[in-house]
Each structure stands twice: as structure tokens, then as C-alpha cells.
Amino acid sequence: MDYRSIIEIIGAVASLFAIFGGLYVAKRFVHHIWRRNGKFLNEYTRHSFFYPMAFAKQILRKNVFKPLGDSQFIDYSSALEKDYYSHDVATVRVKIGKSVSELQLPYKEIIDYIKHPDTVTEIAGGRIDSRFDLGERYTALTQDNFDEFLKSRPNTTNGPALRMQSLTPNGDGTYCCVLQRAGYFDQVRTNLTIDMPISLGSSMRTEDLSPDKQLRPLQESILANTIGVSAIWVTPLRKGDRRSRHQVFLRPRRKQTGVYYDLLGTVSGVVEAPEGDIFPCNKLEEYAKSEILREFYQETGYKLYLDSRQMSESVVEVVPLMFVRELIRGGKPQFFFLIVTPEISESQLTPFFKKSYNGTEEFRSAIDSRMFNYSLSPETQTNLIYALRYIQRNHHLDFIDLND
């Protein structure tokens, strides 16, 4: 082979490298434009259960400063926009692009398990104290609202629930709580129809506010204040974004189920009272973890998946993130969790999700091509923010990074 032929071969190889390099740059440029226009998100709409963390962050960036809408029964804006709860609203710092801003969350933070993971709340007596009684006066005043709610949600049932009657710090970083038995209908009459009028110029929200328009202590509240649980479910994602290779479970909720219907939701539910009113242990955190696991298995079918593979439940990690009182619903107690499991694919979960106890009833079953058009529920948005704070805890940042 002569010198000229070698030169020609080298030139051809260099041209190929230039062509492929140009194609790569063009692909990255188009990818950047799609991201900037929001179209990048649509490439994930083929999934029905899991979305890369980058997708979840994009939805958060789209939602975090969006004003809350109102529902038929709850004035969502009361929690942040009116002169209510000004001393109670939680504030977090988030980074979007190069800017760090303060974001208000419609919750009052009570126990931060990310900072204080060993915090324990003891259940007084290790058992339920009594049965919640709304009283004849408020039962009568809330009757019309109760009837209207059941008319709009005819499938609502009076399931068992657990009310937090009081929460008292012991002074050593631990707490003690008194718990009562309640029903879902108690919640409907109070926390879930909180802004419906009950008499001239008043509602259950205004009746329960303190004189300075802040939350009353739980022991002074007339509301049902049943305990809720919510969890962000993440699994490893081998082909994920470089910084955080996780995929997140997100689904639109059905219109006739839950409070935050037609919004992107996650695993959540109401803590139920134990049989016989006696708790298996006197630590509220442990009981709440067992309750979110019950909801998790019922709504996703994941326990059926574990059984099919003869896998132990010990592979499911449940991390407490925050115990709060939700301002939108008048100070209703709420636990936020992070659930971490081994990697699972769409095809592996699908047959078990279809057999789940109530997953197909809670969430839309069809793949939704308009996924990015949904808004996050306040519950899911806040849970996701706390989950990111936990995931980024070793970065030693004074903000939560919402960038990809």
C-alpha cells in the first residue's frame, strides 16, 4: 500500500468520525430543545408505573410555584394565601436552574426524621384511649355537607380510622400521644368538608382556628384529625440520569376515589385502628410503618410479586421522613415515608398490580399519554420534596436540588 492510499484511508476515517460526531452533537442539541420545551417529558409517557427521577423533578419544577386550585369542599388557598396559619407554614429552599428560592408547603412540620431518625413517639397505655365523639351540635351542623359529600362520592364507606387526640413532647426528644378510634365519616364531616358553610359566616375551619388564626393544639381541636400515611416508592434504575439513578412510582388517581382525585398521586391512605384496640408495640412510628406497608401492598400488588418469587418482605425498606399537620385539611396529622425496593420492571409488576386489592380502584389503569398535563397533589408534591431531601442528605446542601 503506497503513501497516497494510506492518506486517503486516514481521510475517510476522519470523515466518518466527523459525521458521527456531528450527529451526536445534533442529537444532544435536539434533546436540549425538547427538554426546554417540555416535550422531553413525553418520551416517558409510554410507561404506566415508573418514571425516571429526572421526569419527577421536571414535574416538580412545573408544579412547585403553581397556585393551588379549590375543590367543592376545600378552599385549598386558605392554607397559604389567606391570613391563616402564618406561623405554621413550612418553608424549604429549592434550587431550579441557577436560582435558589424559598417554597412554602401547606404543612406544619412536627417531627423531622431526616434530621432525627431515632425519634420515638410512645402510644399512651399502648392502646386506644376512647372513641371520638363530634357531639350533637356539630353533627347537626355538618349534616348537609356530609350528605353532599356522599352524593358526590357514593362509594364512600365508613372505614376504621385512628385519631390523634394529643401529642406531647417529653422534653428529651421523644413524644407521647393519645389515640382514639374514629371512622372515615368523622373525617368527612370535619377535615374533608372543612370550608363548607355550617352556619352563617362560619365553617369547620373557622370554628377550629385559634384566636390568632393559627392551628390549635391537637388536644383542643374539634376536628376528626385522623392520621394519614403517604410514601414515595423508588427503585433502582440502571439506565437513569447520572446523579440519581432511581425510578419513581406515580399514577393519576381516579376521580371518584381519594381527596386529591384527577391529580398525580402515590401510595397513601388512612391509618386504621388495631383489632381489639391494643397496639402490637407502643411506638407510633412502627405502627405507622406497618400501615403504609399495608397500603403499599394493597395498592400495588407488590406483596404478590414478592410471594411469586419467594422473596422476603425484608427487601422492602421503609424510611420515615416527616410527621406533619396538613394545613389544607385543618391540621390533619400525616406521616411521609420513602419506600425503597429492589429494581422491578413494568412487565414484572403489571400482572400483580392488576390483582392488587385496590390499586386498580385507586389509580387509572390505562397508560395515559397526557402524563405531563397532570398536576401533582399537594400530598405527593410535598412527599417527593422530602424524599429528595433524604436522597440528597449526604450532599450537605442548604437547599433541595430540583435540577436534573
Side-chain angles (χ1 to χ4, degrees):
M1 182 179 294
D2 60 18
Y3 177 76
R4 183 173 297 178
S5 298
I6 294 174
I7 294 296
E8 289 176 352
I9 291 173
I10 293 175
V13 171
S15 298
L16 285 175
F17 272 106
I19 291 171
F20 284 116
L23 289 173
Y24 176 78
V25 171
K27 178 184 176 182
R28 297 293 296 176
F29 177 75
V30 171
H31 189 259
H32 171 73
I33 296 299
W34 281 11
R35 278 189 170 200
R36 194 170 66 182
N37 293 338
K39 295 178 181 177
F40 162 75
L41 300 172
N42 290 332
E43 70 179 279
Y44 297 123
T45 56
R46 64 184 182 275
H47 298 298
S48 59
F49 299 117
F50 300 110
Y51 299 85
M53 186 61 78
F55 178 91
K57 289 180 177 180
Q58 291 263 5
I59 293 183
L60 269 177
R61 294 199 296 271
K62 176 177 177 285
N63 278 265
V64 287
F65 294 110
K66 182 186 295 184
L68 298 172
D70 295 331
S71 74
Q72 181 180 356
F73 306 105
I74 299 177
D75 179 5
Y76 288 180
S77 62
S78 293
L80 297 178
E81 296 176 10
K82 294 186 178 179
D83 190 23
Y84 299 153
Y85 314 123
S86 58
H87 300 159
D88 300 316
V89 176
T91 301
V92 297
R93 288 162 53 83
V94 297
K95 184 177 182 181
I96 299 176
K98 296 182 179 180
S99 301
V100 177
S101 306
E102 287 195 345
L103 172 67
Q104 289 187 320
L105 303 176
Y107 293 87
K108 180 177 182 178
E109 296 178 351
I110 308 297
I111 303 175
D112 185 343
Y113 295 103
I114 303 173
K115 290 183 179 178
H116 309 287
D118 297 325
T119 302
V120 172
T121 303
E122 296 178 355
I123 302 171
R127 60 175 298 127
I128 288 177
D129 179 77
S130 55
R131 175 67 167 83
F132 171 64
D133 183 9
L134 184 58
E136 292 183 4
R137 176 172 178 264
Y138 284 113
T139 298
L141 287 173
T142 58
Q143 188 61 46
D144 289 345
N145 298 340
F146 177 76
D147 293 340
E148 190 66 26
F149 187 95
L150 292 190
K151 182 180 178 181
S152 68
R153 313 276 182 85
N155 297 326
T156 303
T157 59
N158 191 25
L162 193 63
R163 179 182 192 253
M164 181 170 282
Q165 194 274 331
S166 68
L167 180 69
T168 307
N170 293 327
D172 58 356
T174 64
Y175 293 79
C176 181
C177 67
V178 176
L179 303 177
Q180 294 180 307
R181 179 177 286 274
Y184 193 78
F185 284 176
D186 295 317
Q187 186 175 322
V188 169
R189 288 181 179 274
T190 58
N191 300 89
L192 300 190
T193 54
I194 194 166
D195 291 308
M196 294 286 285
I198 58 172
S199 61
L200 187 61
S202 69
S203 63
M204 291 302 286
R205 187 189 299 278
T206 58
E207 289 284 303
D208 200 59
L209 284 171
S210 68
D212 60 349
K213 298 183 180 180
Q214 308 303 311
L215 280 182
R216 289 185 184 274
L218 284 164
Q219 57 267 30
E220 298 178 11
S221 176
I222 61 173
L223 306 180
N225 292 330
T226 54
I227 304 172
V229 285
S230 169
I232 295 295
W233 175 21
V234 302
T235 75
L237 180 64
R238 293 178 185 175
K239 296 182 179 180
D241 56 280
R242 294 177 180 177
R243 293 187 179 182
S244 181
R245 292 192 173 182
H246 300 90
Q247 57 183 2
V248 183
F249 176 87
L250 286 173
R251 295 279 285 183
R253 287 199 170 271
R254 290 185 180 275
K255 188 170 184 179
Q256 296 301 321
T257 60
V259 177
Y260 299 122
Y261 59 84
D262 267 353
L263 296 170
L264 284 182
T266 184
V267 176
S268 64
V270 177
V271 175
E272 296 183 359
E275 288 190 28
D277 291 349
I278 298 176
F279 292 90
C281 71
N282 69 340
K283 295 180 181 179
L284 180 61
E285 287 80 8
E286 292 303 312
Y287 188 71
K289 285 170 68 173
S290 69
E291 285 294 282
I292 192 58
L293 271 176
R294 175 180 57 78
E295 291 285 348
F296 174 57
Y297 292 148
Q298 289 181 354
E299 293 186 5
T300 66
Y302 192 79
K303 180 65 166 62
L304 300 174
Y305 166 77
L306 290 179
D307 292 343
S308 72
R309 299 200 164 209
Q310 298 182 330
M311 296 170 65
S312 168
E313 290 184 56
S314 62
V315 302
V316 181
E317 181 183 6
V318 182
V319 182
L321 300 174
M322 194 76 66
F323 178 68
V324 299
R325 293 183 64 188
E326 183 185 349
L327 305 180
I328 289 174
R329 291 186 273 183
K332 186 179 181 299
Q334 175 86 19
F335 279 96
F336 287 122
F337 292 97
L338 173 68
I339 290 178
V340 183
T341 67
E343 184 175 12
I344 181 172
S345 67
E346 301 279 334
S347 59
Q348 289 172 327
L349 181 62
T350 297
F352 302 102
F353 180 83
K354 291 179 178 179
K355 297 177 183 178
S356 62
Y357 181 77
N358 57 9
T360 54
E361 297 299 321
E362 294 280 343
F363 301 107
R364 296 185 183 276
S365 57
I367 297 175
D368 198 313
S369 61
R370 299 179 300 107
M371 192 69 172
F372 186 56
N373 293 337
Y374 282 98
S375 294
L376 291 168
S377 73
E379 178 182 73
T380 302
Q381 176 175 301
T382 303
N383 202 158
L384 187 53
I385 285 172
Y386 287 139
L388 285 170
R389 176 189 281 179
Y390 177 82
I391 292 170
Q392 298 173 9
R393 68 193 184 282
N394 294 327
H395 297 177
H396 305 294
L397 304 172
D398 65 347
F399 54 81
I400 301 165
D401 193 348
L402 301 187
N403 295 310
D404 295 344

